[in-house]
Amino acid sequence: MLIPHSETDAAYVIRSAVADGRKFALCGGNTRSGFGNATEGAETLSSRGLTGIVDYDPAEMVMTVKAGTPVAEVEAALAANRQMMAFEPMDHRGIMGTSGEPTIGGVFAANVSGPRRFVAGAARDSLLGIRFVNGSGELLRAGGRVMKNVTGLDLVKLLAGSHGTLGFLTEVTFRVLPVPQTVETIVISALDDETAAKAMAAAMALPVEVSGAAHLPQTVRARFIDGALPENEATVLRLEGLAASVAVRAEKLVAVMQAFGPVIRLGMEDSLSLWREIRDVHPYANGAGRPLWRVSMAPMAGCQLVAALRMEAGVDAYYDWQGGLVWMQMEADPEADFLRGYIRALGGGHATLIRASKSARAATPSFEPVPDAVAALSARVKQKLDPAGIFSPGKMGW
C-alpha cells in the first residue's frame, strides 16, 4: 500500500504510475474493502497519510479537512461545538468485516448517507469544494466554501460517489449543522410491511418534521438496541429539535399513528442507539458474510419487491428512508437477475451488491447496469479525468 503524506507526493506517485503503466485501487481507511467490482492487478493508494482539519469556523458551519482524516476526529471536533454532519455517514466495518478507521475522504468518495438522507440530502449535498489529483498527476480544485460559489460545482458532484474511479481526493470542504437539542422515537408495533409503508407515508405527510422513518420486521427487530423494542414488528419514526417542539410534535404524531397500531415512545438515549444501529445495518453485521444488497426505489415499492423475492429465494430485509431504502440479506446466492428484474417490473430503482463472496462478486455486477447512453457519457468523463485509466479500473464497470 502506498501512502503519500502530501499533495505533492500524491501527484508524483500518480505521474510515475502513468509512466510505468501501473494501476491503483484508491482508498481511505480501506474499511469498505471488498465492495464494488474487483480491481485486478492494481496497487493500493491510500489517502490516510493526508490528515488534519485545515479550517473550521463553527459560526460559519463550514469545515475544510484533509481527505485522510479519520471520521471520528471530524465528529469529535464538531461535537465539541454541538454540530454534526447532517447526512449521518454510516460505518461499514460491521457489515464488511473490516478494521481500520473510516476517513472523511472515503465518506464523500462513496457518497455515504444514513437515515436522515431522505430529508437532509446525501453526503454530496453537503459537499462544497474539493481538491484532488487527476489521472495525469495534476492537482485540481473545484467548488468553494459557500453554496452560492458554484465554480466547478458539477465536478464536485461528479467526484462524490465516484468510488475512487475519477480522482484521488486530497481535501474536502463541507457544511455542517447544529446537533438537535433532543431526539425522540415513536414506535408502532405489529404492522406488516405494506401497512408500515402506509403508516410511514402518513407520518411524512404531517407537519411534524419526521427526520427518520424505518420499518423493522420481526426477523430483525430483536437485533436492535439489545432486544428492547416491543414484541412483533417495529415501525419507527424519529423527531428531533428543541425539547418543547419535539414534545408537541410527538403528541400530534402519536395521535395519528394510534390508528395503525400500538404506540410507545423512546427517549433520547435509546433513540440515539437505535438510529445508529439502523444507520450501520447492525442486524447484518454478524460476520455471516451472506450476500447483502442495498436497494433504492420508490417507498411503496420496497415491500412489494421483498414479497416477490421471497417467492424465489431466502431473503431477510428491513426498510429505511420511509421504505425507499431496503437492506436485504440473501440466504445463499445474490440472485441478481431475479432482484433486478423485479425492480424494473416495479417501476425501477438501483440495487448495489455491498457484500458477497469473491466468486459471487466475480459473477455479479456490483452496481446497477446503466443504459448505453449513460455508460458512454460515464466513459467520456472517465477519459477526461483519468485518460490512462489508472484509478480503480473496472470497479464501477469502467
Side-chain angles (χ1 to χ4, degrees):
M1 180 182 291
L2 297 175
I3 307 175
H5 288 79
S6 70
E7 290 177 330
T8 301
D9 287 347
Y12 173 78
V13 166
I14 290 167
R15 286 196 300 270
S16 298
V18 172
D20 297 340
R22 291 179 289 135
K23 311 289 184 181
F24 287 128
L26 304 189
C27 74
N30 213 26
T31 58
R32 278 176 289 277
S33 176
F35 168 68
N37 301 317
T39 54
E40 300 294 340
E43 301 176 70
T44 300
L45 179 64
S46 171
S47 64
R48 70 180 64 173
L50 304 170
T51 62
I53 296 173
V54 177
D55 189 28
Y56 173 40
D57 184 346
E60 291 185 359
M61 294 193 291
V62 174
M63 177 180 271
T64 299
V65 189
K66 292 183 180 179
T69 306
V71 171
E73 182 179 330
V74 173
E75 290 179 332
L78 292 172
N81 292 282
R82 290 200 53 79
Q83 293 182 341
M84 65 178 186
M85 292 179 279
F87 53 90
E88 293 180 282
M90 73 173 285
D91 185 340
H92 284 79
R93 286 176 291 187
I95 59 173
M96 301 305 295
T98 55
S99 57
E101 287 292 327
T103 64
I104 193 65
V107 164
F108 286 107
N111 194 32
V112 179
S113 309
R116 206 181 285 110
R117 160 71 175 86
F118 73 121
V119 292
R124 64 161 54 94
D125 297 306
S126 292
L127 190 60
L128 303 177
I130 57 174
R131 291 170 65 93
F132 69 100
V133 181
N134 68 8
S136 299
E138 301 167 324
L139 178 62
L140 303 178
R141 176 180 177 180
R145 284 182 55 82
V146 293
M147 286 300 289
K148 64 183 179 182
N149 180 357
V150 296
T151 303
L153 186 61
D154 287 345
L155 201 52
V156 172
K157 301 295 187 188
L158 277 173
L159 267 288
S162 65
H163 296 277
T165 60
L166 298 179
F168 181 72
L169 280 175
T170 62
E171 185 179 286
V172 292
T173 297
F174 53 96
R175 58 185 173 89
V176 299
L177 290 177
V179 172
Q181 185 182 74
T182 194
V183 182
E184 186 169 326
T185 301
I186 308 303
V187 183
I188 310 101
S189 297
L191 305 186
D192 61 42
D193 291 6
E194 184 177 358
T195 306
K198 293 176 181 177
M200 289 188 287
M204 295 306 300
L206 296 172
V208 295
E209 299 177 28
V210 172
S211 67
H215 177 59
L216 316 175
Q218 180 67 0
T219 55
V220 300
R221 186 268 312 162
R223 300 178 217 169
F224 288 98
I225 54 174
D226 296 323
L229 290 169
E231 290 295 323
N232 300 310
E233 299 83 357
T235 306
V236 293
L237 304 168
R238 180 174 60 183
L239 300 174
E240 300 175 298
L242 297 175
S245 171
V246 168
V248 172
R249 288 185 280 133
E251 291 292 339
K252 292 180 180 178
L253 185 56
V254 166
V256 175
M257 291 298 107
Q258 284 175 333
F260 289 92
V263 176
I264 69 162
R265 292 161 67 167
L266 298 180
M268 186 166 182
E269 184 175 346
D270 281 343
S271 291
L272 291 173
S273 296
L274 174 63
W275 290 99
R276 182 167 55 249
E277 291 176 0
I278 291 172
R279 179 197 73 182
D280 293 343
V281 198
H282 184 68
Y284 306 138
N286 50 17
R290 295 189 183 99
L292 180 65
W293 290 94
R294 181 184 185 275
V295 179
S296 178
M297 58 193 309
M300 294 301 296
C303 60
Q304 298 176 54
L305 172 69
V306 173
L309 278 171
R310 282 180 173 151
M311 302 294 289
E312 308 283 354
V315 179
D316 193 21
Y318 76 90
Y319 309 83
D320 199 359
W321 299 359
Q322 194 200 324
L325 174 63
V326 187
W327 286 103
M328 185 181 304
Q329 181 174 265
M330 314 301 287
E331 273 300 313
D333 297 326
E335 305 288 1
D337 291 340
F338 281 132
L339 173 60
R340 287 174 168 150
Y342 280 125
I343 289 174
R344 289 191 295 271
L346 290 168
H350 302 276
T352 305
L353 184 60
I354 300 294
R355 180 184 70 201
S357 67
K358 187 174 182 179
S359 59
R361 286 179 62 211
T364 308
S366 294
F367 295 92
E368 187 76 27
V370 297
D372 291 343
V374 176
L377 177 60
S378 298
R380 289 199 295 273
V381 172
K382 170 77 169 173
Q383 203 283 325
K384 287 290 186 183
L385 291 175
D386 181 22
I390 70 167
F391 292 148
S392 303
K395 183 169 188 176
M396 295 187 72
W398 54 76

